[in-house]
Amino acid sequence: MPDLVLELNGRTWNLDQSRSYRLGRDPQSEVVLDDARVSWRHATIRWGGRGWLLEDHGSTNGTFVHGQRVHQTEVGAGSSVHLGNATDGPHLRLTATAVGAEVHGAPTYLAPAQPAWGGGGEGAAPPRIPPQGGAPVQGTPIYGNHNPTTFHKLHLGRVTRIGRALDNELRVDDLQVSRHHAEFRAAPDGRFEIFDLGSHNGTFVNGQQLAPRTSRLIGPQDIVGVGHSTFRLVGDQLEEFVDTGAVTFSARHLTVQVGPEKKKILKDVSFGVPEKSLVAVIGPSGSGKSTLLKALTGYRPANEGDVLYDSRNLYKQFAELRQRIGLVPQDDILHTQLTVQTALRYAAKLRFPGDTAEAERRERVDEVLRELKLDVHKEKQISSLSGGQRKRVSVALELLTKPSLIFLDEPTSGLDPGMDRDVMKLLRALADDGRTVLVVTHSVAELALCDRLLVMAPGGSVAYFGPPGEALNFFGYETWADVFSAFESYRDYDWGGRWHGSQHYQMYAADIDAVAPQSAQVQPAQVKPPKPQSWGVQLVTLVRRYASVIASDRGFIALMFILPIVLGVMSVLMPADTGLLPNPKKGGANEDAGPILVIIAVGACLGGAANSVRELIKERVIYERERATGLSRSAYLWSKVIVLGLITVLQGAIIAAIGLLPRDLPEEGLLVKASPFVDLTLAIAALGFTCMMFGLIISALVKTAEKTMPLLVMFAIVQVVFTGALFPVHETPGLAQLSWLMPSRWATAAIGAVVDLNTLLPAQDGAKPDPLWEHDLGAYALDMGVLLGLGALSAVIVLRLLRRHEPEVMR
């Protein structure tokens, strides 16, 4: 007979010592309380060996026993407990006499003293009947303390196929899973193997990706990951656990070192958060908040320590777990020129498997829009939305793949107090809906909405971790302004030591700190996460998206046409009696040809580089996030090359048409005999294209967009110097070799070969003619070949530079 009975609003629960009883608004709690003052996971009552213990889980409004707020205390018959308010909050009464044999209002699986299967203890699952029918089957936890969601029967000699399509023997309703993803194959000797069917997002065994269309034998100790589901073989049955968001998350002894002196900017950070909780991280500048966020997400793994996702090492199993983690950086991760709906549809196209139907993607996008109340704004351009609404759109993008963990970096930065509150309420709702949310913030106005607060001290150590409502009392100040002033005034004080010696540390972090990390030095696993779609599909999607972004930017379109027109007109203003032909009055020399070609070359260089010099830097945050979700680096670069290349070639044709057609040109060309204009246009367009590639190098090198303009001007001036049309460069040692790296040198040489520039600008004082200006097809082909080769070399350089902006765990 249970020795304690819990009463609430006329309902009773006979408490059993082998069970733990969760109290809160979560429908999965054993005691569900529908009261706004009660937290989602408010408290737990459990047997402590000598008596019953009541433990508060950092609830927002508190747990009170006989009017006193408590965190953990013994309770028994006669105890009076209020949740959320000491006087009129929901009232729990504990008695020693069973009220009745029947348990009223409690979940049905609390009635028996021992579960039918699955074991007792905290988090024990209700009895489940396998799909094939029959008696309940004993289940064992899969990672963390989660019991199986369901069971599947395997048959010897038969194949069990897993996938999203209806014709699979084991259907997984998850858009991260391919239509036909993998197969469990039973061998005649009774063993089983898992075979990947060329899935888009990969099949994983113990966190390591299985090579496409290969198999691996599995046993009872192996965990197979497919999308959000994990499977374990027990006898001839599969236990399946579906990750619906109820996962724990912890960091253990995280330390980050930088520089040759190995300076520690993050020092022995440990904390753990329960499932479905909202955690805020605050601290002064230099406290390591951004470094901590990168360590927690795998973007920059810690030098020492572990990050555990439901007891799984994130660094070592990043390829599988990356799809279950959402990250919203401080800057927008969407193209603001697009409408909300269009931006999300392109994101869904890139993140979901290539075999996902258009209708499935649209349905998921619409579902997320409704969840975040963005459906009324779906046709609006993102740039026209308020700051809070734009942040909702960024969150919506991350919710497409149904992540269990969501990290946000300064989501309320720059927002007014009203929008700050709206964003924090959104995050609270996300946590209440079954996700774990961690937010780095400078705002302290809405910390009461959080379940836990992590305060970082200068130097990267933990100064406090626990309920937000107790933090100011812990520091002994009345306001957060006072706390931050103390951090600034006493930067050398051992805030971390003070925290480790406190009672709060024993209550909220000692159990995490007591567990040694799995490895003294975590080395990022050399993984190559699978791509959701093939390279070609990604390229087409990226090209379409980039073209849509440009088409939505009217200012860029106007500049795209105005710039080459102005540059072409400038070249026409240069007087030249004989155009680009020899001048008989001067023995064939035409000194006006040099300035004309210089202006045309500068126009092509400036136009091409200006098109691209900001394109990578302004999308850096977007690229970093999409790369972590499986974006192909080369497909991303090629999308830029194709779209910007077409624009640049069109601009080159406009410059050539305006600057050359009014001029007298040679009667014959070298490549196209009937039209020297075509040969000249090809050289000008190739110059613009190669300079566009150089612009991408600049864009990949700089850290801020403001630095691109000075570099663009310097690049254009350098190209003027090395054209060879203002003064000879081919006979000056050092200068001649340096000019080989300049696109303007080879483009001017190609034009010079067509118009016979050695005749128009004859060498002076016994100097030799420029060999690159020879009036023959071979010289023209060499000049054009090297010019385009410089463009190809630039592409290789850009690809290498892009690696610097990817999660380190992927490098």
Side-chain angles (χ1 to χ4, degrees):
M1 194 72 176
D3 61 357
L4 197 65
V5 174
L6 184 152
E7 299 181 24
L8 171 66
N9 296 332
R11 294 176 295 172
T12 60
W13 286 260
N14 294 332
L15 305 186
D16 183 83
Q17 295 179 7
S18 66
R19 299 292 309 276
S20 293
Y21 298 85
R22 296 167 297 181
L23 292 70
R25 297 199 332 269
D26 184 355
Q28 300 300 316
S29 298
E30 282 73 15
V31 181
V32 180
L33 299 100
D34 187 14
D35 190 299
R37 294 169 294 181
V38 177
S39 295
W40 188 259
R41 295 185 70 236
H42 196 103
T44 295
I45 295 179
R46 60 182 175 86
W47 179 254
R50 296 182 179 180
W52 290 93
L53 296 178
L54 172 65
E55 180 181 1
D56 183 275
H57 291 309
S59 62
T60 301
N61 295 317
T63 301
F64 303 86
V65 177
H66 300 301
Q68 299 296 317
R69 185 164 184 171
V70 299
H71 299 290
Q72 185 180 59
T73 186
E74 287 193 4
V75 293
S79 295
S80 177
V81 180
H82 285 84
L83 304 181
N85 188 283
T87 56
D88 62 354
H91 183 207
L92 309 179
R93 202 163 64 90
L94 298 171
T95 63
T97 304
V99 176
E102 183 181 2
V103 181
H104 302 285
T108 57
Y109 56 89
L110 290 182
Q114 295 291 338
W117 59 270
E122 184 176 2
R128 299 181 179 89
I129 305 299
Q132 295 81 7
V137 182
Q138 181 75 19
T140 51
I142 300 180
Y143 287 127
N145 294 314
H146 298 287
N147 286 319
T149 306
T150 188
F151 296 84
H152 306 277
K153 181 74 173 179
L154 298 179
H155 300 278
L156 292 177
R158 291 176 56 181
V159 172
T160 301
R161 187 171 58 188
I162 305 174
R164 203 175 71 249
L166 295 174
D167 60 348
N168 291 285
E169 288 79 14
L170 200 166
R171 183 172 182 268
V172 179
D173 188 14
D174 181 357
L175 289 182
Q176 293 297 310
V177 177
S178 299
R179 291 181 59 81
H180 299 107
H181 197 103
E183 291 177 344
F184 283 101
R185 297 176 175 178
D189 61 1
R191 296 190 299 173
F192 291 88
E193 67 177 11
I194 181 69
F195 179 81
D196 182 86
L197 295 174
S199 60
H200 294 85
N201 281 327
T203 303
F204 299 85
V205 179
N206 301 325
Q208 302 304 310
Q209 184 186 355
L210 196 64
R213 302 199 177 279
T214 62
S215 62
R216 174 174 167 177
L217 288 171
I218 58 172
Q221 303 304 317
D222 295 319
I223 302 295
V224 177
V226 174
H228 285 79
S229 295
T230 48
F231 301 89
R232 179 163 54 191
L233 181 66
V234 178
D236 61 350
Q237 295 197 81
L238 279 177
E239 295 180 346
E240 178 185 8
F241 167 69
V242 180
D243 184 350
T244 58
V247 298
T248 59
F249 182 77
S250 62
R252 294 178 179 171
H253 306 284
L254 296 184
T255 298
V256 174
Q257 302 170 346
V258 296
E261 70 281 3
K262 294 187 177 181
K263 179 183 178 181
K264 292 183 179 180
I265 59 175
L266 203 66
K267 300 177 182 177
D268 197 28
V269 174
S270 297
F271 65 94
V273 296
E275 59 194 48
K276 304 177 184 178
S277 57
L278 173 59
V279 183
V281 180
I282 64 172
S285 298
S287 59
K289 299 187 300 296
S290 297
T291 302
L292 175 63
L293 188 65
K294 292 178 180 179
L296 295 177
T297 56
Y299 271 54
R300 199 291 189 190
N303 298 94
E304 299 176 5
D306 300 320
V307 176
L308 301 182
Y309 174 105
D310 234 19
S311 302
R312 306 175 66 179
N313 192 304
L314 174 65
Y315 298 159
K316 295 179 180 178
Q317 302 186 22
F318 182 79
E320 179 181 358
L321 297 178
R322 65 192 174 94
Q323 295 290 1
R324 306 188 193 184
I325 296 176
L327 173 63
V328 180
Q330 182 175 348
D331 298 325
D332 290 325
I333 52 177
L334 291 166
H335 296 88
T336 57
Q337 300 92 334
L338 301 178
T339 65
V340 172
Q341 187 177 64
T342 301
L344 291 182
R345 286 181 176 176
Y346 277 123
K349 178 71 173 176
L350 287 172
R351 296 196 179 194
F352 290 141
D355 61 2
T356 306
E358 178 70 18
E360 292 178 295
R361 292 197 300 270
R362 288 175 179 259
E363 181 181 356
R364 179 56 188 158
V365 168
D366 292 341
E367 187 179 314
V368 171
L369 289 174
R370 289 192 299 269
E371 179 181 357
L372 296 184
K373 298 179 176 58
L374 287 169
D375 47 337
V376 295
H377 304 293
K378 64 182 181 181
E379 299 297 338
K380 295 181 181 178
Q381 196 172 44
I382 296 175
S383 60
S384 69
L385 301 178
S386 66
Q389 290 169 341
R390 284 201 303 271
K391 193 58 63 176
R392 280 180 178 264
V393 178
S394 294
V395 173
L397 183 148
E398 293 302 312
L399 291 186
L400 289 173
T401 55
K402 298 184 178 180
S404 301
L405 288 173
I406 301 179
F407 296 89
L408 301 99
D409 187 10
E410 301 287 356
T412 61
S413 178
L415 302 184
D416 61 48
M419 290 184 179
D420 180 6
R421 175 177 296 177
D422 289 342
V423 171
M424 291 302 293
K425 284 185 176 180
L426 166 66
L427 303 184
R428 177 70 264 173
L430 292 176
D432 290 344
D433 285 342
R435 306 173 183 92
T436 298
V437 183
L438 187 145
V439 53
V440 174
T441 180
H442 279 297
S443 175
V444 297
E446 305 298 333
L447 294 180
L449 292 173
C450 302
D451 299 302
R452 289 287 188 271
L453 174 64
L454 176 65
V455 182
M456 300 296 294
S461 60
V462 176
Y464 172 82
F465 178 72
E470 301 175 18
L472 288 177
N473 287 335
F474 172 82
F475 288 108
Y477 292 99
E478 294 184 358
T479 68
W480 283 108
D482 296 331
V483 175
F484 278 55
S485 294
F487 282 149
E488 184 64 30
S489 301
Y490 306 102
R491 297 189 69 88
D492 295 331
Y493 180 73
D494 186 9
W495 295 99
R498 179 178 184 270
W499 158 245
H500 280 82
S502 68
Q503 182 181 1
H504 280 76
Y505 169 79
Q506 297 297 327
M507 295 173 61
Y508 300 113
D511 57 336
I512 298 294
D513 241 353
V515 181
Q518 295 179 3
S519 57
Q521 182 80 16
V522 173
Q523 294 295 334
Q526 299 302 312
V527 295
K528 186 177 182 180
K531 299 177 177 60
Q533 306 86 20
S534 66
W535 187 89
V537 172
Q538 284 197 6
L539 177 62
V540 172
T541 302
L542 290 168
V543 167
R544 290 179 57 194
R545 184 179 70 177
Y546 192 32
S548 298
V549 169
I550 290 178
S552 302
D553 191 343
R554 296 180 180 178
F556 181 84
I557 293 177
L559 185 63
M560 181 179 71
F561 288 103
I562 292 174
L563 181 62
I565 291 174
V566 171
L567 294 174
V569 169
M570 293 297 294
S571 68
V572 174
L573 296 179
M574 294 295 300
D577 295 337
T578 57
L580 295 178
L581 295 177
N583 189 343
K585 298 179 181 179
K586 298 182 179 181
N590 185 352
E591 58 188 20
D592 297 326
I596 293 174
L597 295 182
V598 167
I599 290 181
I600 291 177
V602 170
C605 285
L606 188 61
N611 287 338
S612 61
V613 76
R614 295 172 64 93
E615 290 307 299
L616 298 183
I617 181 62
K618 75 179 184 181
E619 290 187 1
R620 183 160 297 170
V621 176
I622 298 176
Y623 173 75
E624 289 177 355
R625 183 65 193 120
E626 292 185 341
R627 178 63 178 150
T629 61
L631 179 71
S632 166
R633 185 192 312 130
S634 59
Y636 175 77
L637 175 59
W638 270 104
S639 69
K640 300 295 184 186
V641 172
I642 291 173
V643 177
L644 292 176
L646 290 174
I647 293 173
T648 303
V649 168
L650 175 61
Q651 290 177 329
I654 294 174
I655 293 175
I658 295 176
L660 296 179
L661 285 180
R663 307 276 189 190
D664 295 325
L665 301 177
E667 295 183 359
E668 292 186 353
L670 297 175
L671 184 64
V672 180
K673 291 291 186 180
S675 177
F677 174 75
V678 173
D679 291 359
L680 297 173
T681 301
L682 289 176
I684 295 171
L687 173 60
F689 178 85
T690 302
C691 289
M692 180 269 293
M693 297 301 300
F694 272 70
L696 289 177
I697 293 178
I698 296 174
S699 192
L701 275 173
V702 297
K703 293 183 177 180
T704 62
E706 290 74 16
K707 294 180 180 179
T708 58
M709 289 300 105
L711 292 176
L712 174 63
V713 173
M714 182 180 70
F715 174 75
I717 293 175
V718 170
Q719 297 311 305
V720 172
V721 173
F722 284 96
T723 57
L726 294 181
F727 61 90
V729 296
H730 62 285
E731 286 192 321
T732 306
L735 192 65
Q737 288 70 36
L738 185 60
S739 71
W740 295 345
L741 300 176
M742 304 299 164
S744 62
R745 168 70 167 129
W746 298 98
T748 305
I751 295 173
V754 176
V755 300
D756 193 7
L757 206 53
N758 276 327
T759 299
L760 301 182
L761 299 176
Q764 303 294 324
D765 301 327
K768 297 180 180 178
D770 193 329
L772 300 181
W773 292 358
E774 289 295 328
H775 184 58
D776 61 60
L777 182 58
Y780 180 81
L782 174 64
D783 297 335
M784 291 291 289
V786 175
L787 179 60
L788 295 176
L790 287 175
L793 178 61
S794 300
V796 175
I797 295 174
V798 174
L799 284 174
R800 299 298 297 177
L801 292 175
L802 284 175
R803 291 184 73 250
R804 302 186 310 160
H805 310 298
E806 298 172 1
E808 288 191 20
V809 76
M810 295 176 61
R811 299 184 192 173

